[in-house]
Amino acid sequence: MGVGRFCVQRRRRTGTIAAVSALGLTAVLGGCGLTGGSDQVTLKLVAADYGDSAANTSQKYWEKLVKEYEEQHPDVKIDVTVYSWNDVDAKVKEMVDAGQAPDLAQIGAYADYAAKDLLYEADELLSIPVQADFVSQLADAGQVNGVQYGIPFASSTRLLFYNKTLFQKAGLTPPKTWKELAADAEALKAEGVKYPYALPLGAEEAQAETMQWLLSGGGGYTDAETGTYSIDSAENVATFNWLKNNLVGKGLTGPVAPGELNRADAFSAFAAGDVGMLNGHPSLMQMAAKKGVKFGMVPMPGAEGPSKVSMGVADWMMAFKKNGHAEQVGEFLDFVYDKENVLEFSREYDLLPVTNSASTVMTAAKQDADLKPFLEELPLSELYPVGKTSWAAVSADVKQRIGKAVSSGGSPSGILSQLQSTATRAESAE
């Protein structure tokens, strides 16, 4: 057991390291950061930008939080670099490949790094109260082979958004079943709505729209009991056959082919008043409200009734072992996950908190009423199989292929079989 591991475990059990100098152990435990103020530690953090402008960039959030932390911990400096979501995962990979891994990275996936034994385990870093506060399914999704490496940082769920103005004009009520969704889409098309149902299966985020539909059809990317990939299951094939025959084939998904429609463009079209229905996450509320679009939100319809399982998404914090500093990293993370800090971040970016304490506050607070429907879906949600190192390859293949499953002449069963083959090969390579 290394010195860093010893220090962290001792801190977790006791909540603090006693004044060991009185016992004559100062020299022995110098590696635990007890040698005084002369040895300032700098922690490098690379994080993703959740803002949509210079005014609300995540850099501002981190700078405020770091300033407060450094005032309380003069022996620790936090060096934060924020990149856009288009770049952040690649930037971290470049740093790791160059042998210059940051101490902390807040990005989209952790499993590849965990598989290479590059990350600290969560219980090597976090105090017991902080670990116990995470929403359980998010903490579980951060595990590889039963060990948590991915620390959830932000989360969201998806609901079906609908344009209230367009629905009222067509005399419609929000759908609860696929049959009702298709009937509503037909009526919206008759009213001249450009996108009765926007189906973004383009390369940007096709894996999300796909998963939402698979879950609503009683399937998913993996088998609920075994955890193995089941992309070409009978339930999933039936779901995509329905999509192709009842929505896409009847011209109810708009002028852009689903395989060429990206999520961002679908959201923009909804905010412009051109979409009757689409799956959305909390940030769409703000986009639509800014444009004056009146909208409602309901659980995703299912084959026979409202979907029993929602799709959840989480982004991750992880700590690399290369530079050591486990104790300082752990103490900083305990501060990051303080209830007030989690609340401030979640409210700033319309995201769901990853801790139970913050979720309890937001569920009851009037100022967070808009997020309550999403919070209610979180306990019912299922996340991507992010604990599998194979997921990155599977997700990339879904983005490239799934649009063809609903195209004219496309074969849902054929495309899903190809995706299953990719998943099987990727699993075998783990």
Side-chain angles (χ1 to χ4, degrees):
M1 179 183 292
V3 171
R5 176 70 179 265
F6 171 83
C7 296
V8 174
Q9 288 186 334
R10 181 166 182 169
R11 182 174 69 83
R12 290 187 68 249
R13 283 197 296 268
T14 65
T16 185
I17 298 178
V20 293
S21 56
L23 301 177
L25 297 178
T26 305
V28 176
L29 293 179
C32 294
L34 298 177
T35 55
S38 60
D39 298 330
Q40 187 179 67
V41 169
T42 297
L43 302 179
K44 173 71 175 175
L45 165 63
V46 176
D49 193 353
Y50 290 83
D52 56 12
S53 68
N56 71 342
T57 172
S58 294
Q59 188 79 39
K60 289 188 174 182
Y61 170 81
W62 284 111
E63 286 174 355
K64 179 177 179 290
L65 184 140
V66 163
K67 182 175 184 288
E68 186 179 340
Y69 185 78
E70 290 178 348
E71 287 173 352
Q72 300 174 23
H73 300 80
D75 290 351
V76 178
K77 178 177 172 56
I78 313 293
D79 177 12
V80 183
T81 306
V82 171
Y83 294 102
S84 76
W85 272 110
N86 292 331
D87 301 322
V88 67
D89 290 278
K91 290 288 186 182
V92 171
K93 185 177 186 302
E94 287 174 13
M95 295 171 72
V96 173
D97 290 346
Q100 299 173 344
D103 297 282
L104 290 156
Q106 186 271 297
I107 52 178
Y110 65 86
D112 283 353
Y113 299 123
K116 296 173 184 174
D117 195 29
L118 299 178
L119 303 179
Y120 283 113
E121 299 174 14
D123 66 3
E124 293 179 281
L125 302 168
L126 300 169
S127 65
I128 292 172
V130 169
Q131 270 198 284
D133 196 26
F134 287 117
V135 174
S136 60
Q137 71 263 46
L138 300 179
D140 290 346
Q143 296 181 358
V144 175
N145 297 324
V147 178
Q148 185 181 355
Y149 297 94
I151 304 169
F153 182 74
S155 68
S156 70
T157 53
R158 304 292 167 99
L159 292 170
L160 183 75
F161 282 66
Y162 66 95
N163 184 309
K164 283 187 173 182
T165 303
L166 297 177
F167 264 61
Q168 288 171 358
K169 185 179 178 183
L172 302 175
T173 56
K176 295 180 180 179
T177 66
W178 287 357
K179 184 177 180 179
E180 291 175 2
L181 186 149
D184 285 353
E186 288 274 14
L188 290 166
K189 182 182 180 181
E191 290 287 336
V193 175
K194 192 172 181 180
Y195 293 89
Y197 178 87
L199 183 67
L201 296 178
E204 180 193 5
E205 205 189 36
Q207 82 285 1
E209 184 73 13
T210 297
M211 183 169 174
Q212 187 70 67
W213 277 98
L214 296 183
L215 292 173
S216 73
Y221 286 120
T222 57
D223 182 272
E225 294 183 4
T226 65
T228 56
Y229 285 108
S230 57
I231 300 174
D232 61 350
S233 69
E235 293 88 350
N236 293 345
V237 172
T239 294
F240 267 81
N241 277 328
W242 188 91
L243 274 173
K244 181 184 178 186
N245 296 330
N246 294 278
L247 286 186
V248 183
K250 293 184 177 180
L252 302 179
T253 54
V256 180
E260 298 173 11
L261 181 65
N262 282 328
R263 192 278 313 275
D265 295 328
F267 277 21
S268 294
F270 186 84
D274 292 332
V275 174
M277 298 173 280
L278 85 170
N279 282 316
H281 52 62
S283 68
L284 182 56
M285 295 189 299
Q286 196 174 74
M287 283 183 65
K290 283 181 179 178
K291 297 286 189 178
V293 172
K294 295 179 181 179
F295 60 89
M297 302 174 297
V298 293
M300 176 67 180
E304 304 297 333
S307 180
K308 296 178 181 178
V309 183
S310 169
M311 190 188 79
V313 178
D315 301 323
W316 304 96
M317 180 74 76
M318 63 211 70
F320 289 89
K321 295 191 290 187
K322 181 174 176 57
N323 301 324
H325 304 150
E327 182 191 5
Q328 291 87 354
V329 168
E331 289 179 348
F332 176 62
L333 288 177
D334 280 358
F335 180 77
V336 168
Y337 287 100
D338 175 80
K339 180 177 67 178
E340 295 305 320
N341 292 331
V342 173
L343 281 170
E344 182 176 347
F345 179 85
S346 301
R347 285 168 169 163
E348 175 66 31
Y349 299 107
D350 281 334
L351 291 164
L352 305 185
V354 296
T355 61
N356 293 308
S357 58
S359 294
T360 299
V361 171
M362 291 185 79
T363 300
K366 287 185 178 180
Q367 73 182 93
D368 303 310
D370 287 349
L371 284 172
K372 191 172 181 180
F374 295 95
L375 282 164
E376 291 172 345
E377 289 291 301
L378 191 56
L380 309 172
S381 66
E382 182 175 317
L383 280 72
Y384 299 129
V386 289
K388 295 177 176 289
T389 56
S390 57
W391 171 242
V394 174
S395 176
D397 205 29
V398 170
K399 291 178 182 181
Q400 294 302 314
R401 293 181 191 267
I402 197 64
K404 300 183 182 70
V406 295
S407 64
S408 176
S411 166
S413 62
I415 294 296
L416 293 175
S417 292
Q418 291 173 12
L419 292 170
Q420 179 66 29
S421 296
T422 295
T424 301
R425 288 194 302 271
E427 279 279 82
S428 300
E430 281 193 18

